[in-house]
Amino acid sequence: MTVKGRLHSWDLSTGVDGPGTRFVAFTAGCPLRCLYCANPDTWRMRNGAATTSDAVLADVARYRRFITTAGGGFTVSGGEPLLQPAFTGALLAGARDLGLHTALDTSGFLGARADDDLLDACGLVLLDIKSWDRALYRRLTGRDLHPTVAFARRLADRGTPVWVRFVLVPGLTDDPENVGGVARFAAGLGNVERVDVLPFHRLAAHKYRDLGLRFPLADVQPPDAATVARAVDRFRAAGLLAV
């Protein structure tokens, strides 16, 4: 079934949006306003171009042989893909029907919008857990942590493979108790295959300038290698594969 949606862009990437080389479709629109967001140009639906699932999948099909040979697949990212659940579900199902490994990159905040059919089409969920401290999560995103926790537990009950993504921001998310809280939660789910510790960066500063926006963390330095290593070790100490 053809479904209309709004797509910000697409790209081919290796190693950052799931296993192997992947066709990554970036949907437009997001309900969160993360202080460290690298893609403020995807926040609003109007930032995307009107398209259809069939049109996007036609582009995906052009790269199917290359993606398959490279051991990759198809990922829906954003923005927040679950802001457009019908469109996202059609993309995932269509890519699965093309024989590709599929992944959904989400904050989980809108996890309740993902029906069982959508999740059945997911070979992997890349779940961004931005903080375990509830007050800090709200400060970071403007939203509550609970929906993400509920979605994570639902994925665990289903046995859906998950890669947790955790952005390490000095002075915000790098507190050992905060990192440890995410680690303990992820380890207790039983379906988390790995954790990607992602060092905060300021590469998107120019996007904020171009949009006339203030980058909230413009004065925050990226974490050094030792800080990243300590966070990785904390996840590993919980019994998780962390990189």
Side-chain angles (χ1 to χ4, degrees):
M1 180 179 67
T2 300
V3 178
K4 295 179 180 179
R6 297 194 72 87
L7 191 73
H8 176 271
S9 57
W10 64 265
D11 199 1
L12 294 174
S13 71
T14 301
V16 295
D17 297 289
T21 298
R22 308 186 72 81
F23 186 109
V24 185
F26 297 93
T27 61
C30 183
L32 274 60
R33 293 293 181 267
C34 299
L35 297 181
Y36 52 72
C37 181
N39 298 299
D41 48 327
T42 67
W43 284 350
R44 295 175 174 83
M45 294 281 283
R46 66 173 181 265
N47 296 142
T51 187
T52 67
S53 55
D54 284 352
V56 177
L57 290 167
D59 286 332
V60 176
R62 291 169 48 211
Y63 294 92
R64 178 171 61 173
R65 180 175 296 181
F66 168 70
I67 292 169
T68 302
T69 301
F74 172 77
T75 299
V76 187
S77 186
E80 171 51 64
L82 295 181
L83 194 62
Q84 303 181 65
F87 182 53
T88 294
L91 292 177
L92 290 167
R96 177 196 58 191
D97 291 344
L98 288 171
L100 296 176
H101 177 271
T102 57
L104 170 69
D105 181 8
T106 177
S107 72
F109 178 72
L110 298 178
R113 295 192 180 187
D115 63 20
D116 288 342
D117 287 341
L118 186 154
L119 294 180
D120 286 343
C122 289
L124 173 69
V125 173
L126 308 173
L127 184 62
D128 300 317
I129 302 182
K130 303 169 189 295
S131 169
W132 190 245
D133 180 280
R134 269 61 172 172
L136 177 58
Y137 192 94
R138 174 163 281 280
R139 178 184 169 196
L140 283 171
T141 70
R143 299 289 188 169
D144 292 329
L145 173 61
H146 174 72
T148 295
V149 171
F151 184 57
R153 288 176 172 151
R154 180 180 168 204
L155 294 173
D157 289 343
R158 290 174 52 88
T160 302
V162 166
W163 290 8
V164 167
R165 310 181 87 181
F166 177 75
V167 179
L168 191 68
V169 186
L172 286 172
T173 66
D174 63 338
D175 181 87
E177 283 303 309
N178 185 52
V179 178
V182 176
R184 289 188 296 273
F185 175 67
L189 292 171
N191 63 328
V192 176
E193 296 184 342
R194 67 181 257 176
V195 177
D196 290 321
V197 177
L198 307 175
F200 162 76
H201 60 74
R202 298 181 297 187
L203 299 178
H206 69 94
K207 293 184 180 181
Y208 286 84
R209 287 196 300 271
D210 292 346
L211 293 168
L213 300 172
R214 183 183 69 86
F215 182 28
L217 302 185
D219 296 328
V220 176
Q221 295 295 320
D224 58 27
T227 301
V228 175
R230 284 194 295 271
V232 169
D233 286 345
R234 193 164 287 270
F235 282 105
R236 290 175 177 172
L240 296 161
L241 171 64
V243 295

